[in-house]
Amino acid sequence: MIMGTFMIMTPHRNGLEAVGRDADQGDAEAGVVGSRGGLTQATGATRSDRRLGQVLRDPSEAVAHVAPSSKFQHLLFTWLSPGFPVGAFAYSHGLEMAAERGLLKSQAALAEWISALITQGSLRNDLLLVAHAYRAAAAGQLPELASTNALALALQPSAERYLETTQQGGSFLIAVTAAWPQDDFNALRAGLVGEVAYPIAVAMAAAAHAIPLAALLDAYGFAFVSNLTSAAIRLGVVGQTAAQVTIAAVTPLLHTAALIATGGTLGDIGSATFSADLCSMEHETQYSRLFRS
Protein backbone atom coordinates (compact mmCIF):
# COMPACT_ATOMS: atom_id res chain seq x y z
CA MET A 1 0.00 0.00 0.00
CA ILE A 2 2.81 2.37 0.85
CA MET A 3 4.57 1.60 -2.40
CA GLY A 4 1.47 2.27 -4.46
CA THR A 5 0.83 5.61 -2.79
CA PHE A 6 4.46 6.62 -3.15
CA MET A 7 4.49 5.92 -6.87
CA ILE A 8 1.31 7.90 -7.50
CA MET A 9 2.70 10.97 -5.74
CA THR A 10 4.71 12.65 -8.48
CA PRO A 11 7.03 15.58 -7.81
CA HIS A 12 5.51 17.43 -10.73
CA ARG A 13 3.41 20.24 -9.32
CA ASN A 14 0.62 19.73 -11.83
CA GLY A 15 0.66 16.00 -11.21
CA LEU A 16 0.24 16.42 -7.47
CA GLU A 17 -2.58 18.86 -7.92
CA ALA A 18 -4.33 16.57 -10.39
CA VAL A 19 -4.20 13.65 -7.98
CA GLY A 20 -5.43 15.84 -5.17
CA ARG A 21 -8.36 17.13 -7.20
CA ASP A 22 -9.27 13.64 -8.30
CA ALA A 23 -9.17 12.43 -4.73
CA ASP A 24 -11.32 15.27 -3.43
CA GLN A 25 -13.83 14.95 -6.24
CA GLY A 26 -13.90 11.18 -5.93
CA ASP A 27 -14.46 11.41 -2.18
CA ALA A 28 -17.42 13.69 -2.74
CA GLU A 29 -18.88 11.38 -5.36
CA ALA A 30 -18.51 8.39 -3.07
CA GLY A 31 -20.00 10.13 -0.05
CA VAL A 32 -16.84 10.22 2.05
CA VAL A 33 -17.15 12.21 5.25
CA GLY A 34 -14.72 13.19 8.00
CA SER A 35 -11.27 14.73 8.21
CA ARG A 36 -8.25 13.79 6.12
CA GLY A 37 -6.81 11.99 9.11
CA GLY A 38 -9.91 9.83 9.62
CA LEU A 39 -11.98 9.43 6.47
CA THR A 40 -14.92 7.06 6.41
CA GLN A 41 -16.42 5.90 3.19
CA ALA A 42 -20.18 5.72 2.95
CA THR A 43 -20.55 4.06 -0.44
CA GLY A 44 -18.40 2.84 -3.32
CA ALA A 45 -14.72 3.50 -4.08
CA THR A 46 -13.16 6.90 -4.58
CA ARG A 47 -11.60 7.90 -7.87
CA SER A 48 -8.20 7.90 -6.15
CA ASP A 49 -8.85 4.33 -4.99
CA ARG A 50 -9.58 3.30 -8.56
CA ARG A 51 -6.41 5.04 -9.78
CA LEU A 52 -4.40 3.26 -7.08
CA GLY A 53 -5.77 -0.05 -8.26
CA GLN A 54 -4.79 0.75 -11.82
CA VAL A 55 -1.23 1.63 -10.78
CA LEU A 56 -0.88 -1.55 -8.74
CA ARG A 57 -2.00 -3.56 -11.76
CA ASP A 58 0.33 -1.70 -14.11
CA PRO A 59 3.47 -0.32 -12.35
CA SER A 60 4.67 1.22 -15.62
CA GLU A 61 1.74 3.63 -15.37
CA ALA A 62 3.16 4.90 -12.07
CA VAL A 63 6.67 5.26 -13.47
CA ALA A 64 5.32 7.47 -16.24
CA HIS A 65 4.19 9.98 -13.60
CA VAL A 66 7.60 10.21 -11.90
CA ALA A 67 9.90 13.11 -12.77
CA PRO A 68 13.17 12.16 -14.53
CA SER A 69 15.26 13.33 -11.56
CA SER A 70 13.22 11.17 -9.21
CA LYS A 71 13.60 8.16 -11.49
CA PHE A 72 17.39 8.11 -11.22
CA GLN A 73 17.24 8.85 -7.50
CA HIS A 74 14.96 5.87 -6.97
CA LEU A 75 17.38 3.65 -8.87
CA LEU A 76 20.39 4.85 -6.91
CA PHE A 77 18.57 4.48 -3.59
CA THR A 78 17.65 0.94 -4.54
CA TRP A 79 20.79 -0.30 -6.26
CA LEU A 80 23.17 1.04 -3.62
CA SER A 81 21.07 0.30 -0.55
CA PRO A 82 22.14 -2.32 2.03
CA GLY A 83 19.09 -4.36 1.03
CA PHE A 84 20.08 -4.80 -2.62
CA PRO A 85 21.01 -8.46 -3.16
CA VAL A 86 24.73 -8.20 -3.86
CA GLY A 87 25.90 -9.61 -0.53
CA ALA A 88 27.79 -6.49 0.53
CA PHE A 89 27.07 -7.28 4.19
CA ALA A 90 29.39 -10.31 3.93
CA TYR A 91 32.53 -8.28 3.17
CA SER A 92 34.62 -6.03 5.40
CA HIS A 93 37.27 -5.04 2.82
CA GLY A 94 40.03 -6.15 5.23
CA LEU A 95 38.54 -4.23 8.14
CA GLU A 96 38.09 -7.40 10.19
CA MET A 97 41.80 -8.18 10.20
CA ALA A 98 42.61 -4.55 10.97
CA ALA A 99 40.37 -4.81 14.03
CA GLU A 100 42.00 -8.13 14.98
CA ARG A 101 45.43 -6.49 14.78
CA GLY A 102 44.32 -3.66 17.07
CA LEU A 103 44.61 -1.02 14.37
CA LEU A 104 41.09 0.31 14.92
CA LYS A 105 40.70 1.09 18.59
CA SER A 106 38.59 4.25 18.29
CA GLN A 107 36.19 6.17 16.12
CA ALA A 108 39.04 8.49 15.13
CA ALA A 109 41.13 5.51 13.99
CA LEU A 110 38.24 4.18 11.91
CA ALA A 111 37.71 7.57 10.30
CA GLU A 112 41.42 7.81 9.48
CA TRP A 113 41.39 4.31 7.95
CA ILE A 114 38.37 5.05 5.76
CA SER A 115 39.75 8.47 4.83
CA ALA A 116 42.87 6.80 3.48
CA LEU A 117 40.76 4.48 1.31
CA ILE A 118 38.91 7.50 -0.06
CA THR A 119 41.92 9.65 -0.84
CA GLN A 120 44.69 7.14 -1.51
CA GLY A 121 43.16 3.68 -1.78
CA SER A 122 40.53 1.39 -3.23
CA LEU A 123 37.58 3.80 -3.22
CA ARG A 124 39.60 6.43 -5.07
CA ASN A 125 40.38 3.87 -7.74
CA ASP A 126 36.82 2.56 -7.82
CA LEU A 127 35.43 6.02 -8.50
CA LEU A 128 37.90 6.56 -11.35
CA LEU A 129 36.94 3.18 -12.79
CA VAL A 130 33.23 3.95 -12.46
CA ALA A 131 33.65 7.26 -14.30
CA HIS A 132 35.69 5.75 -17.13
CA ALA A 133 33.42 2.71 -17.52
CA TYR A 134 30.36 4.95 -17.44
CA ARG A 135 31.65 7.03 -20.35
CA ALA A 136 32.61 3.95 -22.33
CA ALA A 137 29.22 2.36 -21.74
CA ALA A 138 27.35 5.55 -22.62
CA ALA A 139 29.28 5.76 -25.90
CA GLY A 140 28.76 2.07 -26.65
CA GLN A 141 32.52 1.44 -26.68
CA LEU A 142 32.52 -2.25 -25.75
CA PRO A 143 36.27 -2.87 -26.22
CA GLU A 144 37.07 0.05 -23.89
CA LEU A 145 34.51 -1.18 -21.38
CA ALA A 146 36.02 -4.68 -21.45
CA SER A 147 39.52 -3.26 -21.03
CA THR A 148 38.41 -1.18 -18.04
CA ASN A 149 36.83 -4.25 -16.47
CA ALA A 150 40.06 -6.21 -16.92
CA LEU A 151 41.96 -3.41 -15.19
CA ALA A 152 39.46 -3.35 -12.31
CA LEU A 153 39.95 -7.07 -11.78
CA ALA A 154 43.73 -6.84 -11.97
CA LEU A 155 43.83 -4.09 -9.34
CA GLN A 156 42.51 -6.36 -6.57
CA PRO A 157 45.34 -6.93 -4.06
CA SER A 158 44.17 -10.29 -2.71
CA ALA A 159 42.05 -13.32 -3.52
CA GLU A 160 39.32 -12.20 -1.14
CA ARG A 161 39.15 -8.71 -2.55
CA TYR A 162 38.89 -10.26 -6.00
CA LEU A 163 36.00 -12.39 -4.74
CA GLU A 164 34.42 -9.31 -3.14
CA THR A 165 34.29 -7.33 -6.37
CA THR A 166 33.37 -10.20 -8.73
CA GLN A 167 30.69 -11.75 -6.54
CA GLN A 168 29.03 -8.39 -5.96
CA GLY A 169 29.42 -7.45 -9.61
CA GLY A 170 27.81 -10.67 -10.78
CA SER A 171 24.97 -10.45 -8.27
CA PHE A 172 24.33 -6.83 -9.22
CA LEU A 173 24.04 -7.72 -12.91
CA ILE A 174 21.61 -10.55 -12.17
CA ALA A 175 19.35 -8.37 -10.01
CA VAL A 176 19.31 -5.40 -12.40
CA THR A 177 18.70 -7.61 -15.43
CA ALA A 178 15.75 -9.28 -13.72
CA ALA A 179 14.11 -6.21 -12.21
CA TRP A 180 15.04 -3.42 -14.65
CA PRO A 181 15.40 -5.03 -18.09
CA GLN A 182 16.71 -2.58 -20.64
CA ASP A 183 18.01 -3.16 -24.17
CA ASP A 184 21.11 -0.98 -23.93
CA PHE A 185 22.11 -2.60 -20.66
CA ASN A 186 21.58 -6.10 -22.07
CA ALA A 187 23.77 -5.25 -25.07
CA LEU A 188 26.55 -3.96 -22.81
CA ARG A 189 26.33 -7.01 -20.60
CA ALA A 190 26.53 -9.33 -23.59
CA GLY A 191 29.71 -7.60 -24.69
CA LEU A 192 31.58 -8.55 -21.51
CA VAL A 193 32.89 -12.09 -21.25
CA GLY A 194 33.67 -13.62 -17.87
CA GLU A 195 33.60 -12.01 -14.44
CA VAL A 196 32.65 -8.38 -14.02
CA ALA A 197 34.01 -6.12 -11.27
CA TYR A 198 31.42 -4.40 -9.10
CA PRO A 199 32.26 -0.78 -10.09
CA ILE A 200 32.04 -1.72 -13.76
CA ALA A 201 28.66 -3.40 -13.30
CA VAL A 202 27.27 -0.36 -11.50
CA ALA A 203 28.66 2.01 -14.14
CA MET A 204 27.13 -0.02 -16.98
CA ALA A 205 23.67 -0.02 -15.44
CA ALA A 206 23.82 3.68 -14.58
CA ALA A 207 24.90 4.65 -18.10
CA ALA A 208 22.19 2.50 -19.69
CA HIS A 209 19.54 4.12 -17.49
CA ALA A 210 20.91 7.65 -18.05
CA ILE A 211 21.74 8.30 -14.39
CA PRO A 212 23.94 11.42 -14.16
CA LEU A 213 27.57 10.57 -13.52
CA ALA A 214 28.02 13.10 -10.71
CA ALA A 215 25.07 11.68 -8.76
CA LEU A 216 26.32 8.14 -9.34
CA LEU A 217 29.82 8.86 -8.03
CA ASP A 218 28.49 10.55 -4.90
CA ALA A 219 26.08 7.70 -4.18
CA TYR A 220 28.69 5.02 -4.86
CA GLY A 221 31.12 6.60 -2.42
CA PHE A 222 28.56 6.92 0.35
CA ALA A 223 27.42 3.33 -0.13
CA PHE A 224 31.03 2.14 0.14
CA VAL A 225 31.60 4.04 3.39
CA SER A 226 28.25 3.00 4.84
CA ASN A 227 29.09 -0.65 4.28
CA LEU A 228 32.44 -0.27 6.03
CA THR A 229 30.92 1.47 9.03
CA SER A 230 28.26 -1.23 9.21
CA ALA A 231 31.04 -3.83 9.32
CA ALA A 232 32.80 -1.81 12.03
CA ILE A 233 29.63 -1.86 14.14
CA ARG A 234 29.33 -5.64 13.85
CA LEU A 235 33.01 -6.02 14.76
CA GLY A 236 32.49 -3.93 17.88
CA VAL A 237 34.91 -1.24 16.73
CA VAL A 238 32.35 1.57 17.12
CA GLY A 239 28.71 1.95 18.08
CA GLN A 240 25.93 3.13 15.80
CA THR A 241 26.22 6.81 16.71
CA ALA A 242 29.99 6.80 16.33
CA ALA A 243 29.52 5.18 12.91
CA GLN A 244 27.35 8.10 11.84
CA VAL A 245 29.92 10.53 13.21
CA THR A 246 32.50 8.76 11.04
CA ILE A 247 30.35 9.07 7.91
CA ALA A 248 29.81 12.76 8.61
CA ALA A 249 33.53 13.30 9.15
CA VAL A 250 34.53 11.81 5.79
CA THR A 251 31.70 13.36 3.78
CA PRO A 252 33.80 16.29 2.46
CA LEU A 253 36.42 13.79 1.29
CA LEU A 254 33.76 11.78 -0.53
CA HIS A 255 32.53 14.84 -2.42
CA THR A 256 36.08 15.79 -3.36
CA ALA A 257 36.90 12.26 -4.53
CA ALA A 258 33.77 12.22 -6.69
CA LEU A 259 34.73 15.53 -8.28
CA ILE A 260 38.27 14.32 -8.97
CA ALA A 261 36.94 11.14 -10.56
CA THR A 262 34.60 13.15 -12.79
CA GLY A 263 37.56 14.83 -14.46
CA GLY A 264 40.06 12.01 -13.99
CA THR A 265 41.39 9.33 -16.31
CA LEU A 266 42.69 5.79 -15.90
CA GLY A 267 46.15 7.32 -15.77
CA ASP A 268 45.25 8.75 -12.36
CA ILE A 269 44.67 5.31 -10.85
CA GLY A 270 47.03 4.32 -8.05
CA SER A 271 46.95 3.59 -4.34
CA ALA A 272 49.21 3.69 -1.28
CA THR A 273 47.17 1.96 1.42
CA PHE A 274 49.56 -0.87 2.24
CA SER A 275 48.02 -1.69 5.63
CA ALA A 276 44.57 -2.14 4.11
CA ASP A 277 45.94 -4.32 1.32
CA LEU A 278 48.03 -6.44 3.68
CA CYS A 279 45.08 -6.89 6.03
CA SER A 280 42.99 -8.16 3.14
CA MET A 281 45.71 -10.73 2.40
CA GLU A 282 46.13 -11.80 6.01
CA HIS A 283 42.39 -12.15 6.43
CA GLU A 284 42.51 -15.21 4.17
CA THR A 285 44.10 -17.19 7.01
CA GLN A 286 42.39 -15.48 9.96
CA TYR A 287 41.27 -18.24 12.31
CA SER A 288 37.93 -16.87 13.48
CA ARG A 289 36.05 -14.42 11.29
CA LEU A 290 32.65 -13.01 10.46
CA PHE A 291 33.33 -11.73 6.94
CA ARG A 292 34.49 -13.11 3.61
CA SER A 293 37.09 -10.35 3.19
Side-chain angles (χ1 to χ4, degrees):
M1 185 66 176
I2 294 175
M3 182 178 293
T5 303
F6 170 76
M7 298 182 79
I8 290 174
M9 293 291 287
T10 162
H12 288 304
R13 183 172 182 271
N14 292 336
L16 283 172
E17 291 179 346
V19 172
R21 286 195 298 272
D22 286 346
D24 294 341
Q25 182 178 353
D27 291 344
E29 292 172 354
V32 177
V33 294
S35 66
R36 284 190 180 272
L39 294 177
T40 58
Q41 190 168 330
T43 59
T46 66
R47 184 174 300 177
S48 56
D49 289 334
R50 292 193 294 273
R51 177 172 293 185
L52 174 59
Q54 179 183 357
V55 169
L56 292 177
R57 286 192 300 272
D58 183 9
S60 63
E61 177 69 17
V63 174
H65 288 285
V66 179
S69 61
S70 293
K71 287 181 182 178
F72 81 73
Q73 288 171 357
H74 297 162
L75 290 176
L76 287 178
F77 291 154
T78 303
W79 293 351
L80 299 175
S81 77
F84 201 66
V86 297
F89 64 89
Y91 299 96
S92 79
H93 210 68
L95 206 66
E96 186 169 24
M97 177 53 76
E100 176 75 12
R101 292 257 179 225
L103 301 176
L104 303 173
K105 294 183 177 181
S106 66
Q107 181 272 323
L110 176 63
E112 184 178 1
W113 184 275
I114 294 176
S115 296
L117 294 178
I118 297 171
T119 59
Q120 306 166 43
S122 55
L123 180 55
R124 177 181 183 275
N125 287 342
D126 272 5
L127 292 176
L128 289 165
L129 289 165
V130 167
H132 193 80
Y134 177 98
R135 294 189 183 97
Q141 298 173 345
L142 292 178
E144 186 65 25
L145 184 63
S147 176
T148 307
N149 181 57
L151 176 60
L153 296 176
L155 285 171
Q156 303 312 310
S158 67
E160 288 188 347
R161 286 272 293 276
Y162 185 92
L163 173 66
E164 180 178 328
T165 194
T166 55
Q167 185 271 304
Q168 290 188 79
S171 297
F172 183 89
L173 293 175
I174 291 172
V176 171
T177 300
W180 291 273
Q182 208 258 10
D183 290 342
D184 290 340
F185 176 73
N186 293 339
L188 292 169
R189 178 66 188 94
L192 291 182
V193 179
E195 294 174 311
V196 179
Y198 180 64
I200 308 306
V202 174
M204 286 168 47
H209 287 268
I211 294 174
L213 177 59
L216 171 64
L217 293 172
D218 260 337
Y220 188 100
F222 274 98
F224 179 96
V225 170
S226 294
N227 194 62
L228 287 187
T229 54
S230 174
I233 292 171
R234 283 173 282 164
L235 290 168
V237 174
V238 294
Q240 294 179 339
T241 299
Q244 297 306 309
V245 171
T246 301
I247 294 174
V250 303
T251 292
L253 297 178
L254 287 171
H255 289 313
T256 300
L259 287 174
I260 291 173
T262 301
T265 68
L266 293 184
D268 297 315
I269 283 180
S271 66
T273 50
F274 299 110
S275 291
D277 293 346
L278 289 172
C279 281
S280 75
M281 298 176 192
E282 293 182 43
H283 186 266
E284 297 173 14
T285 57
Q286 186 171 337
Y287 176 71
S288 178
R289 53 185 180 170
L290 297 174
F291 298 93
R292 300 182 73 183
S293 71

